[in-house]
Amino acid sequence: AAHVERERAAAAAGDRSASIRLSGEFHQLVGALAGNAVLAELLEPLIARSSLAIAAYQPPSAEDCAPDEHAAIITALQDGDAPLARRLMAEHLEEVEHKLVLDGPEEPVIDLRRVLLGV
């Protein structure tokens, strides 16, 4: 929950690089909290690639709902409602994918170093 608050603060500040980085970190935290070392290891490169895709192909104008979606997933996990948590995560990932504009001519307007390294 504290992590989601950091996501909300980055979104409120309009810090897109931090928002993307923190969103990726959220998914890594969920994997780690699952207690499955294999899952956590598999997620790391997927999250890095996803963060790159979001930075490059999600228009800055796309509405960022991730903190609220992440909060709903946390609530489902805290309530022990695994089916709801799975459904919310699947919907969340589909929403992220649908926000990507893969056929546009626009150049990325994001500092990938800040997204990946927080620098």
Side-chain angles (χ1 to χ4, degrees):
H3 186 86
V4 171
E5 289 309 314
R6 289 179 34 220
E7 289 183 62
R8 284 191 171 119
D15 189 344
R16 187 162 180 258
S17 297
S19 291
I20 294 170
R21 182 177 41 77
L22 289 166
S23 180
E25 288 176 7
F26 171 83
H27 293 266
Q28 191 67 47
L29 284 170
V30 171
L33 291 172
N36 184 330
V38 174
L39 173 64
E41 184 178 329
L42 290 172
L43 281 175
E44 192 171 332
L46 291 174
I47 291 167
R49 288 183 177 125
S50 297
S51 295
L52 284 171
I54 290 166
Y57 297 107
Q58 181 177 309
S61 60
E63 185 178 332
D64 185 14
C65 300
D68 291 336
E69 293 170 9
H70 290 172
I73 293 165
I74 289 170
T75 299
L77 291 170
Q78 288 173 332
D79 292 346
D81 192 341
L84 177 59
R86 280 192 297 271
R87 182 176 63 78
L88 291 172
M89 183 61 86
E91 290 172 359
H92 169 60
L93 294 174
E94 286 177 19
E95 183 66 22
V96 169
E97 181 182 355
H98 288 134
K99 289 180 183 178
L100 300 178
V101 178
L102 301 174
D103 58 356
E106 297 180 18
E107 290 293 319
V109 290
I110 192 82
D111 182 351
L112 294 178
R113 184 180 173 109
R114 283 199 61 223
V115 170
L116 297 174
L117 303 175
V119 191

